[in-house]
């Protein structure tokens, strides 16, 4: 039996952990969604179960070989429905269940929602780049920012990076907006995975200054200027 994966981050909405073999089907399902495929910067056929299992096995070895970096499974918190909560509270009030069981029944369930990554740039292994690939049903929320902020804290803190890069397809305005809210500045177009992508860069000093502002302030600042 495979050991339980290491959890790297857990917040109220998002959990980031190492991949486990049981995540293969969720990976396949996400990569069979044409909305997700439209924004992919690579052509790895992760919509095939065999490839998804091989990818996870590779990442499990990667975690050991390159500690602190990798592609990690992302899960979002899904609270129980109102009927389940009401039934649990009623049972507790009537003395049928204790407080410990009540807490278990009303706590959120963690559901696969994609991945976040912090990996070495292929053209220059000394440089790290952040990335995310999320299931379409989570788009438009705050998960990308939650995960991106943790990636940057990890890169500039534990990994002592002086700067970090990010890339997105020229047509992916949502990803570009997310990178800008995180503090990245556009560096123009660059060759990336055999195609052209928009490159972004964030220095540690800029990150420290930018993140003295609240997220709402940073979002307003980005919206007040023309998109990159």
């Amino acid at each position: 039996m495979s050991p339980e994966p290491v959890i790297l981050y857990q917040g109220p909405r998002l959990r980031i952990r190492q991949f486990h073999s049981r995540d293969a089907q969720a990976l396949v399902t996400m990569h069979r969604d044409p909305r997700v495929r439209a924004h992919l910067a690579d052509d790895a056929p992760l919509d095939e179960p065999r490839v998804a299992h091989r990818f996870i096995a590779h990442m499990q070895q990667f975690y050991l070989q390159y500690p602190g970096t990798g592609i990690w499974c992302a899960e979002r918190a899904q609270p129980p429905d109102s009927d389940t909560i009401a039934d649990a509270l009623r049972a507790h009030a009537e003395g049928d269940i204790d407080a410990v069981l009540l807490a278990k029944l009303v706590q959120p369930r963690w559901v696969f929602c994609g991945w976040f990554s912090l990996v070495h740039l292929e053209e220059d292994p000394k440089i790290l780049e952040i990335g995310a690939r999320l299931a379409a049903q989570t788009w438009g929320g705050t998960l990308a920012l939650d995960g991106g902020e943790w990636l940057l804290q990890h890169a500039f803190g534990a990994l002592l990076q002086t700067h970090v890069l990010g890339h997105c397809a020229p047509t992916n305005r949502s990803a570009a907006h997310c990178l800008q809210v995180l503090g990245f500045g556009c560096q123009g177009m660059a060759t990336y995975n055999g195609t052209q992508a928009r490159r972004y860069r964030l220095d540690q000093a800029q990150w420290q200054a930018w993140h003295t502002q609240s997220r709402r302030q940073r979002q307003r600042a980005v919206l007040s200027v023309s998109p990159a």
Side-chain angles (χ1 to χ4, degrees):
M1 180 181 295
S2 300
E4 285 301 301
V6 174
I7 296 173
L8 295 101
Y9 165 81
Q10 184 167 319
R13 294 176 293 263
L14 177 70
R15 182 165 78 176
I16 298 174
R17 61 168 173 81
Q18 295 177 348
F19 269 105
H20 189 278
S21 57
R22 62 173 172 261
D23 300 314
Q25 184 54 53
L27 268 179
V28 169
T29 300
M30 180 176 74
H31 285 88
R32 286 181 176 174
D33 188 329
R35 294 170 295 178
V36 173
R37 296 188 65 83
H39 294 295
L40 299 186
D42 61 68
D43 57 358
L46 287 167
D47 55 331
E48 299 178 10
R50 173 181 54 84
V51 177
H53 279 287
R54 191 167 64 229
F55 166 82
I56 292 173
H58 171 71
M59 288 317 311
Q60 290 170 337
Q61 290 299 313
F62 190 96
Y63 302 144
L64 299 174
Q65 189 173 359
Y66 304 102
T69 62
I71 301 175
W72 299 294
C73 180
E75 296 175 307
R76 60 186 174 92
Q78 180 173 294
D81 60 67
S82 58
D83 289 342
T84 298
I85 294 175
D87 289 343
L89 291 172
R90 187 180 307 110
H92 180 257
E94 295 173 356
D96 295 332
I97 62 175
D98 60 19
V100 175
L101 181 54
L102 172 65
K104 290 182 179 179
L105 291 173
V106 300
Q107 69 182 1
R109 183 168 62 96
W110 292 103
V111 180
F112 175 90
C113 65
W115 76 42
F116 287 94
S117 63
L118 187 63
V119 295
H120 299 275
L121 192 66
E122 185 175 348
E123 66 194 62
D124 189 345
K126 297 187 299 297
I127 299 174
L128 293 179
E129 62 167 329
I130 71 168
R133 184 172 297 181
L134 297 177
Q137 59 266 32
T138 69
W139 294 356
T142 64
L143 294 181
L145 290 173
D146 291 349
E149 287 172 355
W150 175 78
L151 289 172
L152 293 173
Q153 290 170 1
H154 183 58
F156 291 129
L159 301 183
L160 302 175
Q161 296 295 297
T162 59
H163 67 280
V164 177
L165 297 184
H167 297 85
C168 68
T171 57
N172 194 339
R173 297 179 61 123
S174 295
H177 175 77
C178 181
L179 287 167
Q180 290 172 310
V181 172
L182 290 171
F184 285 81
C186 184
Q187 302 290 295
M189 300 298 293
T191 300
Y192 182 72
N193 286 339
T195 186
Q196 287 292 299
R198 202 177 292 275
R199 172 168 289 180
Y200 290 81
R201 172 175 171 143
L202 177 60
D203 294 333
Q204 184 185 39
Q206 170 63 16
W207 171 74
Q208 291 175 330
W210 183 244
H211 282 259
T212 60
Q213 303 179 67
S214 70
R215 183 183 290 180
R216 184 180 296 274
Q217 289 174 317
R218 288 181 274 129
Q219 288 174 320
R220 286 175 175 170
V222 170
L223 290 172
S224 69
V225 299
S226 300

